[in-house]
Structures are given as structure tokens and as C-alpha cells.
Amino acid sequence: QVQLVESGGGVVQPGRSLRLSCAASGFTFSTYGMHWVRQAPGKGLEWVAVMSYGGSHTYYADSVMGRFTISRDNSKNTLFLQMNSLRAEDTAVYYCAKAFYPYHGGGPFDVWGRGTMVTVSS
Amino acid sequence: QSVLTQPPSLSAAPGQRVTISCSGNSSNIGNNYVSWYQQLPGTAPKFLIYDNDKRPSGIPDRFSGSKSGTSATLGITGLQTGDEADYYCGTWDSSLSAVVFGGGTKLTVL
């Protein structure tokens, strides 16, 4: 079945870096845009970034622009999020999500992973 | 605050009908499709409605969506206790070049 599994979360000090991964299975990964969405404790959903199916186009939320980098390895069906210069306000559950339409980078999101928790604290 | 505006909370009795509003502007809802997601406590969001009013396979017809101008609405009929969840609207914002979500609506089924 279609599945997304995030990993790489943990506790990190402010200013440090962390790399998240999202392993995809059950669909042709290379034909779908992929997103990261986060949710701070007790808060709503916040979109983070998207990468197009082929990796040539990326968009970021203003809150992470210049600090986070989204990437993908279509040969390994894996999506990544490199997070640098982390701040306390980046503390959240990070979900990867699959675009519903193939060859289309925007939403909607039909498949979500279970998420991985990132805590930024000294 | 969120780009899209939703009521923070709503409550209704089992069996009743409820509507959840989502308000935006011409850069987002006014010119792009709206989707809706249901998030049960402690779980990941679930795909509920796409392209304003379409239901993915497996979503019961008790759930419906509509859009008019710069606002969208999620309707739920025959409320069940299992419908207690947070509901989010989302769309693309052409000015921001970003996906935007509403702040979420916590639905309580009394």
C-alpha cells in the first residue's frame, strides 16, 4: 500500500542542524511532487516546502527560506529536509505528504506520513 | 495568524449537520482549488475533500465541500462521535507561491 515513513527527528540545540528523511513506497515516487508540512505542539498545520517530481522546482515558506533545503533521491524513493540554523520556533512534528495529482507540484495532499518530532531546545 | 480564516471551534449534537467555513482572498481561494483535511487526536491529517467538492475514495458522502468566490465550506451531515476532530482547509496562494492552511476548526460532537 502507499506509505510514507519519516525519520531523523530528535532534540537539537538552537543554531544546530538536522536532516529529516521520508521513505516512500507503494507508488511511482518519481512522478509526484512531495511536500513537508509541520505542526507545532497544540497548533495548526504549517506548510514548509515542496519539491517537484523531477526535483527542478522548489518553493519554501517564508519562515524557513534560506535555512531549510528540500531535496529528493528518486532512485531511492526518498525525500529529505535539511534544516540549518534551527530555532525554538521550529519545534514541531514534521510530516511529509504526497501531492494527489502526478506531475503537479501543488496540493492537495492525499497521503501523509505519521510524522517525526523535532525539538529545538538548549 | 493563518492566511485562511476558520472558526476556532464548533459543536453540535450527534445526528445534526454542521458547516465549517474557510475564508481567503483572490490570491488563494478565489483562484485555486480548496482541499480539506481531518485530523483525529494524535494522528496525521487525513485527505477529506479536494478540488473544492470532490471526495476521495472511501470518504462517506456525509462529507461535502463547496466554494463560492473567496470562501469555501465543509459540510458534515449525520454527525457521529467519531467525527470529533480538527478540520483544516488548504489551497495554493499564487501571490505567496506557497500552500496555505486555515488555522483549523476543532469540532466537538456533544
Side-chain angles (χ1 to χ4, degrees), chain A residues 35 37 39 43-47 59 95 100-101 108-110 112-113, chain B residues 35 37 39 43-45 47 50-51 88 92 97-99 101-103:
Chain A
H35 299 251
V37 177
Q39 187 170 34
K43 302 296 184 183
L45 301 175
E46 180 188 14
W47 176 79
Y59 295 96
Y95 297 101
F100 178 58
Y101 290 108
F109 314 129
D110 64 334
W112 298 65
Chain B
S35 53
Y37 305 90
Q39 188 175 34
T43 69
F47 190 35
Y50 69 101
D51 292 359
Y88 295 90
W92 180 257
S97 293
V99 173
F101 288 106

Side-chain angles (χ1 to χ4, degrees), chain B residues 69-80:
Chain B
T70 59
S71 293
T73 301
L74 173 70
I76 311 173
T77 59
L79 273 174
Q80 303 173 0

Side-chain angles (χ1 to χ4, degrees), chain A residues 54-75:
Chain A
S56 58
H57 299 286
T58 58
Y59 295 96
Y60 296 91
D62 286 345
S63 57
V64 306
M65 186 88 70
R67 299 188 299 123
F68 290 11
T69 301
I70 187 172
S71 61
R72 63 193 296 162
D73 184 340
N74 284 345
S75 68

Side-chain angles (χ1 to χ4, degrees), chain B residues 40-85:
Chain B
L40 298 170
T43 69
K46 176 183 178 181
F47 190 35
L48 201 60
I49 295 287
Y50 69 101
D51 292 359
N52 304 331
D53 57 10
K54 297 180 176 60
R55 285 187 310 277
S57 60
I59 300 300
D61 58 7
R62 299 189 299 108
F63 295 89
S64 63
S66 64
K67 187 183 103 169
S68 178
T70 59
S71 293
T73 301
L74 173 70
I76 311 173
T77 59
L79 273 174
Q80 303 173 0
T81 55
D83 296 332
E84 276 205 349

